Amino acid sequence: MSTVDLAKAAPVPASMRGVAGRRPRRWRLPFSPWHLVLVPATIILIFPFFWMIVTSIETSSEALRFPPDLTPHVLRFTNYGDALKAAPFGRFFWNSAVVAITTVISNLVFCAAAGYAFARFRFLGRGVLFVLIMITLMVPFQVTMIPQFLITKWIGVNLLAGAGIGHIGSLIVPNAATAFGVFFLRQFFRTLPIEYEEAARVDGATRLTVLLRIVLPLSAPALATLAALTFLDSWNSFLWPLIVITSPNEMTLPLGLATFQGAHSTQWTLLMAGNMMSLAPMLLVFLLAQRYFVRSVAATGLAGT
Amino acid sequence: MATSTAAGSRRRSGGAPGGARNRALARSESLAGWAFVTPASVIILLFGAVPIVWSLVMSFQQNNLLSPKTPFVGLQNYRQLIHDPAVLSATEHTIVYTMLFVPGTMIVGLFLAVAMNRQIRFIWFYRTAAYATMAISTISEALVFIWLFDPSYGIVNYALSLLGLPQQQFLNDPSQALGVVVVMTIWGWSGFAVVIYLAALQGVPKELTEAAAIDGAGRWATFRRITLPLLSPASLFLAVWLTINALQLFDEVFLSTQGGPLGATTVVVYYLYVQAFQNFSFGYASAIAYLLFIVILVATAIQFRVGRRFTYYRS
Amino acid sequence: MGSNRLRTLRALVACALIVLGLGACGTGSGGSGSGKSISIWEGYTGAEQKEFTHLVAAYEKANPGVKVSALYVNNDNTLQKVLTAVRGGTQPDIAYLYGSWAPNVAKIPQVVNLTKVVAKPSVNWNDFWVGERDVATVNGRVIGIPALVDNLAVVYNKTLFAQAGLKPPAASWTWAQFQADAKALTKPAIKQFGTAYVTPGSEDTVWHWEALLWEAGGQILNSSNTKAAFDSPAGLTSLNTLRTMAVTDHSMYLDPADSAYANLFNSGKIGMLVTGPWDLSAFPNVHDGVQVMPQYPGTGAGHQTISGPDNWVIFNNGAAQVSAAEKFLLWLTAPAQAKAFSLATGDLPTRQSVASAAGFTAAMNAALPGVDTFITNLGNVKQARPQIASYPQISQVLGTMIVSVLLGKSAPKAALDQAAAKVNSILAGSGS
């Protein structure tokens, strides 16, 4: 191929160089053939978003069609402004952000510590404790929500007012550490080669230092993943906030968006505009997290493993 | 070498020379272990385990959630459960659903993650698209899929007509409705599987795969012999996590078919929700939740057992 | 570097705790006890929300020192939130609850018995429609004040009728005519249906059929609510009407998720819909007309229809709170406010005096064409669904019966008999 084409081509990934270069070239696309797989797959994945976006920028009379027509005749970008004005969304956004960010940080801290201990340390009761933690995932929320509500109320009255019913803390504290986080990080830590940690211990490092200076840097992809997933879970959480929040001041974004959904009629255009705006921070968090999806140091090979 | 000494000292039992030092080591490891797990465990168990015990107590009561009188009725709820044909069929539907959903999501997720595990142009867009499917609100997801599978106006039947295949009734057909829910939820969860597998793929050293390629192994063989085993911890994690969630399916059913048509998509959690908040039989609902709990516990235990043999940890 | 990171971590955790402490602002839930602040949980959106806020502001202005704090809760979710709150003692002063929950809500000890309150002449209890009063009363106890009333009628597409050469439905029409119209309006080639029905098997499925059952002269249960009464010739007639349209004529679009039928009508794909006044504003793209339900000639039941009223329920948070809540609710549901609310939102008037006020119906119809028929149709509401605690279970049985007939899975007679047997065993097992 001419140098002009090569310059335009996407950089050939390292894994395909070398060997591929030695094979005789039949025909080459100006882009990676994986795009041919990813583009249709992505279309299937984001198809509902087309519908959401179109609904958010059309008039309500065009939104009330079935089958949905994805080519509106009249565009209404003011839906976004109208949605923001319909309820104090600035407040909802702030509440959601505070809850989500605090939840992510506390999860990273607590679940990394616990996950590491479950993965590497031997201590009496380790197995039982891990099973107990996993068990908390196995009973549906519809049944546990009333006891959880009562416990939260008790905490608010007896321990920490800010974590009781009707306060933002009640959205953070029950989720400050999740069984998902502990389970996920335990699995991930177990895949790391133990040699680095053992070497550091022999050199006299404390277990905490090993975790902080060796294991966590190697776990960037997993931590980024956990952060993104925890953020998403917290941002989209609806049922628990519905149960514990008692005033519009503490409502989070999903509760705020629900104000567009009446019992008999829903304002679809405003709801979709609200949903799209709510989506933006989640996508932003994920885009940031993707920067950590790099091959970790461990993957670059340990001689003689 | 330094590594073998450290490894060796852990394997020695307490009676051998240096036993006191080992016991001290073991004690400090115990202390460290408990110190590390306590914060997370307290939170998880306080808000997770205590309610579960509470719910167990409620399952032995006659509780309608309305009056504070909740008389103890022993095993009556459980006896009713065993004789309730609706519980049996809900369990059946749940298990069938899980057996279709879990492998389906894992395969789709793995395929997409492998495709997205490369630095080509726009890769950030493709990956974000996968993640975004998790961020979409369930109501939007449900509405779009209800539309896609509408017997008269949906795209799927339109595509079938173009291919000369007969039109299906989908959500109006008790034998197909669960399948539609499977497709809808695989779509909704594949982003999760992609994200998990992507993180795990970062731990697959490219030197190993390249070495295999140089040795003449084909791409598929490399994948099967090297990548898959190295991904097995992630696969176990996904299998366990997806199963736990699949057995507790609720939202998508609630927002689309509401258990219909004719109960074809009534899964266990939907049935217990109806018992609790429409029929006001909360004690009965708790008993059903406990039946489900046993099923999930057994399924998870089996997966961990089987997984132990097939997962490969590099330590 | 390690200790720095540790310090950062500690700082972050400290920040989190500070945020938690700062989060201790705003309590919101009523029960300050003094009667100065009442909390109300409602699910008003759009125009209803605007007008409700307006009325609340007017009340606060007229009653200085009193604060009404409203919390939006989607009506479908209010029950779960109320039940949880009641367990924890944090219930609101007033909540908007579906009428179908009334027989069970009445069992909550904190629900205030309003029988004496509404008996006061100033309230004029009998001014509320009989369907509303029936739903607010459980075993002789009044447990709510009507918040909303509606009914089912037929909304039809005038353009499609003209295209098919059909005369628009007359006020005296029959189900045979409905069936014939539906058949004539069905054009498979352009995927147009004569009518539609929702088939998730929920109460929405059931109450549409119950209207037909009543029009056929039938009853759901016997007068003492101890046995099924729907497995009668009337039950058979009503099921056969539905079956003919769904299975034989294929003139009925079956909506399994209760979501598409309204938009379909608005897209001109459906000729007639049995629905309520709340849907009128959802049809901006079609030229629609409204007619009362058809009748089965010879049954004497006329064009009877069914209504789904909702209640404001008061919870006991102390005498001062209760009396403040009662005062607010009686003001909110007084004729003047009921009229203002109806005119602003298009919701049907909850009081008969408002419906018959001069110029009211004309004004309503000017704002929302077709609603006048729904208003006069309120006179066709003669009875309510059985106000018993086991109704939800009965409804589930009926839903399965109707859907199995609509999907062609069972014959109407067999379905009726099976359902009646199940309902009888439910009634035998329950206490109320």
Side-chain angles (χ1 to χ4, degrees):
Chain A
M1 290 210 137
S2 71
T3 39
V4 175
D5 287 309
L6 280 174
K8 273 197 283 182
V12 179
S15 59
M16 278 168 81
R17 257 185 241 138
V19 175
R22 291 196 213 122
R23 293 209 196 98
R25 291 181 193 159
R26 307 258 176 83
W27 46 272
R28 250 176 75 112
L29 297 160
F31 51 82
S32 163
W34 282 102
H35 287 285
L36 294 175
V37 168
L38 289 171
V39 168
T42 307
I43 291 180
I44 295 177
L45 288 175
I46 65 175
F47 177 72
F49 290 101
F50 288 150
W51 174 76
M52 286 174 70
I53 294 175
V54 166
T55 307
S56 72
I57 53 173
E58 60 183 359
T59 58
S60 60
S61 62
E62 290 208 279
L64 294 172
R65 288 183 296 188
F66 191 86
D69 188 342
L70 294 179
T71 56
H73 300 127
V74 182
L75 294 182
R76 247 186 82 101
F77 292 98
T78 53
N79 282 333
Y80 283 84
D82 294 341
L84 286 173
K85 273 185 266 162
F89 275 96
R91 179 88 209 176
F92 301 156
F93 188 92
W94 171 255
N95 289 335
S96 275
V98 165
V99 172
I101 293 176
T102 322
T103 306
V104 167
I105 294 173
S106 70
N107 262 283
L108 288 178
V109 170
F110 296 142
C111 295
Y116 186 62
F118 282 120
R120 296 297 197 220
F121 301 165
R122 288 204 179 88
F123 51 95
L124 189 62
R126 180 183 76 166
V128 171
L129 188 59
F130 186 69
V131 168
L132 281 179
I133 287 179
M134 290 299 289
I135 280 182
T136 64
L137 298 168
M138 299 179 189
V139 179
F141 182 69
Q142 283 77 2
V143 164
T144 57
M145 79 183 183
I146 291 184
Q148 273 181 17
F149 180 83
L150 295 174
I151 291 172
T152 306
K153 175 164 189 250
W154 181 88
I155 288 181
V157 169
N158 295 309
L159 284 184
L160 183 64
I165 302 295
H167 298 127
I168 292 288
S170 65
L171 301 179
I172 300 175
V173 171
N175 298 312
T178 61
F180 171 77
V182 172
F183 181 34
F184 177 64
L185 287 183
R186 172 204 188 247
Q187 287 303 98
F188 185 84
F189 290 149
R190 288 184 72 185
T191 67
L192 295 177
I194 202 174
E195 287 76 13
Y196 280 138
E197 301 161 52
E198 289 180 337
R201 290 280 294 138
V202 163
D203 285 347
T206 66
R207 293 188 178 82
L208 182 62
T209 317
V210 171
L211 172 63
L212 291 178
R213 296 177 71 178
I214 303 209
V215 174
L216 287 188
L218 289 181
S219 313
L223 293 174
T225 305
L226 182 63
L229 292 176
T230 307
F231 187 88
L232 182 147
D233 229 20
S234 176
W235 194 261
N236 269 349
S237 171
F238 177 73
L239 205 44
W240 177 245
L242 174 81
I243 300 290
V244 294
I245 295 301
T246 52
S247 121
N249 259 346
E250 278 77 44
M251 276 167 82
T252 54
L253 216 35
L255 292 184
L257 289 176
T259 62
F260 294 130
Q261 275 178 283
H264 278 306
S265 66
T266 301
Q267 297 163 278
W268 290 108
T269 52
L270 297 181
L271 179 63
M272 288 305 133
N275 268 328
M276 294 307 297
M277 291 192 282
S278 177
L279 212 51
M282 286 190 274
L283 296 182
L284 189 64
V285 165
F286 184 70
L287 280 173
L288 289 175
Q290 273 198 60
R291 296 217 265 110
Y292 294 92
F293 277 42
V294 295
R295 300 196 169 214
S296 55
V297 173
T300 57
L302 285 165
T305 304
Chain B
M1 287 168 66
T3 50
S4 58
T5 315
S9 71
R10 297 244 301 283
R11 283 189 220 114
R12 237 179 281 155
S13 59
R21 184 167 158 272
N22 287 335
R23 277 197 301 275
L25 260 173
R27 211 181 310 137
S28 85
E29 186 163 314
S30 235
L31 271 169
W34 278 101
F36 276 52
V37 299
T38 300
S41 305
V42 165
I43 293 174
I44 294 172
L45 293 180
L46 177 62
F47 290 98
V50 173
I52 288 181
V53 173
W54 206 308
S55 315
L56 181 62
V57 172
M58 283 198 278
S59 75
F60 294 119
Q61 298 171 336
Q62 193 171 358
N63 184 349
N64 61 9
L65 278 187
L66 303 162
S67 73
K69 283 203 283 271
T70 54
F72 181 73
V73 290
L75 291 173
Q76 183 187 306
N77 287 326
Y78 289 95
R79 251 178 266 138
Q80 185 183 350
L81 196 160
I82 294 175
H83 292 116
D84 188 344
V87 170
L88 183 63
S89 74
T91 312
E92 231 181 82
H93 296 147
T94 311
I95 292 179
V96 168
Y97 167 78
T98 305
M99 304 214 311
L100 292 173
F101 166 77
V102 175
T105 308
M106 287 174 67
I107 292 173
V108 170
L110 181 59
F111 175 72
L112 288 176
V114 166
M116 294 186 192
N117 187 33
R118 54 203 72 243
Q119 295 301 326
I120 54 180
R121 246 195 311 218
F122 301 127
I123 197 65
W124 59 269
F125 180 73
Y126 298 133
R127 290 178 182 171
T128 311
Y131 173 80
T133 62
M134 288 190 286
I136 194 173
S137 61
T138 316
I139 179 73
S140 307
E141 174 194 345
L143 280 175
V144 171
F145 274 84
I146 289 169
W147 162 35
L148 291 179
F149 282 92
D150 187 281
S152 308
Y153 302 101
I155 294 184
V156 178
N157 257 350
Y158 178 66
L160 288 179
S161 71
L162 288 179
L163 293 172
L165 294 168
Q167 303 279 276
Q168 304 300 319
Q169 286 302 303
F170 295 125
L171 290 175
N172 268 328
D173 185 343
S175 60
Q176 293 178 355
L178 197 61
V180 175
V181 176
V182 169
V183 171
M184 167 161 57
T185 48
I186 288 182
W187 178 90
W189 277 90
S190 49
F192 178 78
V194 166
V195 168
I196 300 292
Y197 272 132
L198 261 182
L201 278 169
Q202 305 316 309
V204 175
K206 62 182 182 221
E207 283 68 17
L208 282 183
T209 46
E210 284 183 351
I214 291 173
D215 283 348
R219 281 239 268 258
W220 174 246
T222 313
F223 183 72
R224 235 183 63 214
R225 296 266 172 80
I226 300 192
T227 317
L228 268 188
L230 286 174
L231 287 179
S232 54
S235 297
L236 175 65
F237 171 79
L238 262 185
V240 169
W241 186 256
L242 290 175
T243 305
I244 291 178
N245 276 279
L247 290 170
Q248 295 180 65
L249 175 71
F250 176 76
D251 283 332
E252 283 82 355
V253 170
F254 181 70
L255 289 173
S256 63
T257 56
Q258 296 190 39
L262 296 178
T265 57
T266 299
V267 289
V268 176
V269 177
Y270 185 79
Y271 186 65
L272 79 80
Y273 168 84
V274 168
Q275 294 310 308
F277 295 107
Q278 289 183 12
N279 297 349
F280 297 91
S281 308
F282 201 72
Y284 189 50
S286 303
I288 297 174
Y290 267 85
L291 167 73
L292 182 66
F293 167 72
I294 305 284
V295 171
I296 299 179
L297 189 59
V298 167
T300 308
I302 292 177
Q303 282 173 320
F304 269 114
R305 255 294 130 83
V306 170
R308 212 177 290 173
R309 228 181 323 141
F310 287 103
T311 49
Y312 168 74
Y313 297 105
R314 279 170 60 212
S315 45
Chain C
M1 222 239 311
S3 59
N4 268 349
R5 220 176 263 177
L6 210 51
R7 237 181 271 149
T8 328
L9 278 172
R10 264 192 238 131
L12 283 172
V13 173
C15 282
L17 287 174
I18 292 175
V19 166
L20 280 180
L22 280 178
C25 54
T27 46
S29 96
S32 61
S34 62
K36 289 291 170 217
S37 168
I38 46 182
S39 61
I40 176 167
W41 291 355
E42 40 79 12
Y44 286 136
T45 59
E48 289 172 324
Q49 175 64 31
K50 278 206 198 80
E51 182 59 19
F52 183 73
T53 315
H54 185 68
L55 287 174
V56 162
Y59 184 78
E60 288 177 339
K61 194 149 166 244
N63 295 277
V66 176
K67 175 116 178 54
V68 177
S69 321
L71 178 71
Y72 172 83
V73 184
N74 185 301
N75 291 332
D76 288 333
N77 295 324
T78 314
L79 184 68
Q80 275 181 282
K81 193 168 165 67
V82 161
L83 291 178
T84 314
V86 155
R87 279 278 142 263
T90 56
Q91 63 274 359
D93 294 303
I94 306 173
Y96 181 107
L97 291 168
Y98 285 152
S100 50
W101 294 328
N104 284 293
V105 164
K107 292 190 194 161
I108 301 177
Q110 287 95 326
V111 165
V112 173
N113 183 343
L114 296 169
T115 317
K116 293 221 174 66
V117 170
V118 302
K120 289 192 279 202
S122 53
V123 174
N124 198 356
W125 183 239
N126 288 326
D127 191 20
F128 289 108
W129 304 94
V130 63
E132 293 177 305
R133 284 178 274 135
D134 281 349
V135 164
T137 315
V138 179
N139 290 334
R141 265 176 72 211
V142 174
I143 52 108
I145 302 186
L148 177 92
V149 72
D150 55 24
N151 59 66
L152 289 181
V154 177
V155 181
Y156 63 94
N157 187 328
K158 288 184 177 156
T159 320
L160 291 185
F161 264 75
Q163 274 174 6
L166 295 168
K167 273 205 305 233
S172 57
W173 65 326
T174 66
W175 275 107
Q177 285 166 328
F178 183 100
Q179 256 171 269
D181 287 347
K183 193 161 173 202
L185 289 162
T186 302
K187 298 187 164 62
I190 54 170
K191 297 196 218 163
Q192 181 178 303
F193 290 86
T195 185
Y197 205 90
V198 298
T199 57
S202 57
E203 179 62 13
D204 210 11
T205 300
V206 174
W207 82 317
H208 280 87
W209 167 77
E210 285 170 337
L212 269 83
L213 176 68
W214 288 342
E215 285 146 17
Q219 290 296 313
I220 304 170
L221 302 178
N222 66 0
S223 49
S224 52
N225 289 333
T226 52
K227 260 186 87 170
F230 57 86
D231 52 336
S232 57
L236 197 55
T237 311
S238 50
L239 274 186
N240 269 325
T241 307
L242 294 180
R243 198 192 68 89
T244 310
M245 288 190 280
V247 179
T248 317
D249 297 344
H250 295 288
S251 56
M252 188 181 257
Y253 173 81
L254 299 178
D255 187 349
D258 208 341
S259 63
Y261 71 93
N263 286 352
L264 264 179
F265 183 85
N266 187 45
S267 308
K269 301 264 198 267
I270 298 185
M272 302 180 282
L273 267 188
V274 176
T275 185
W278 61 83
D279 262 343
L280 278 180
S281 52
F283 305 143
N285 301 351
V286 296
H287 212 46
D288 56 27
V290 184
Q291 190 48 272
V292 297
M293 298 283 276
Q295 59 169 331
Y296 287 104
T299 61
H303 302 270
Q304 211 177 129
T305 186
I306 189 171
S307 172
D310 296 329
N311 295 322
W312 292 113
V313 178
I314 301 184
F315 293 89
N316 190 348
N317 284 320
Q321 292 297 121
V322 169
S323 88
E326 281 170 2
K327 184 156 177 254
F328 173 68
L329 268 192
L330 291 178
W331 176 87
L332 183 69
T333 54
Q337 281 68 249
K339 185 171 179 191
F341 194 79
S342 280
L343 284 172
T345 61
D347 287 351
L348 299 186
T350 50
R351 285 177 172 273
Q352 299 177 56
S353 58
V354 173
S356 49
F360 173 78
T361 306
M364 288 283 279
N365 209 42
L368 191 59
V371 80
D372 56 351
T373 312
F374 279 106
I375 297 177
T376 47
N377 204 24
L378 283 169
N380 278 322
V381 178
K382 305 278 194 254
Q383 54 184 314
R385 288 163 275 188
Q387 284 283 88
I388 53 176
S390 52
Y391 180 77
Q393 289 164 275
I394 295 174
S395 162
Q396 283 148 28
V397 171
L398 292 175
T400 307
M401 172 188 82
I402 299 166
V403 173
S404 72
V405 167
L406 287 175
L407 293 182
K409 303 281 182 207
S410 21
K413 183 89 181 67
L416 277 172
D417 292 337
Q418 231 182 356
K422 283 208 195 102
V423 168
N424 283 334
S425 73
I426 292 173
L427 288 170
S430 71
S432 71

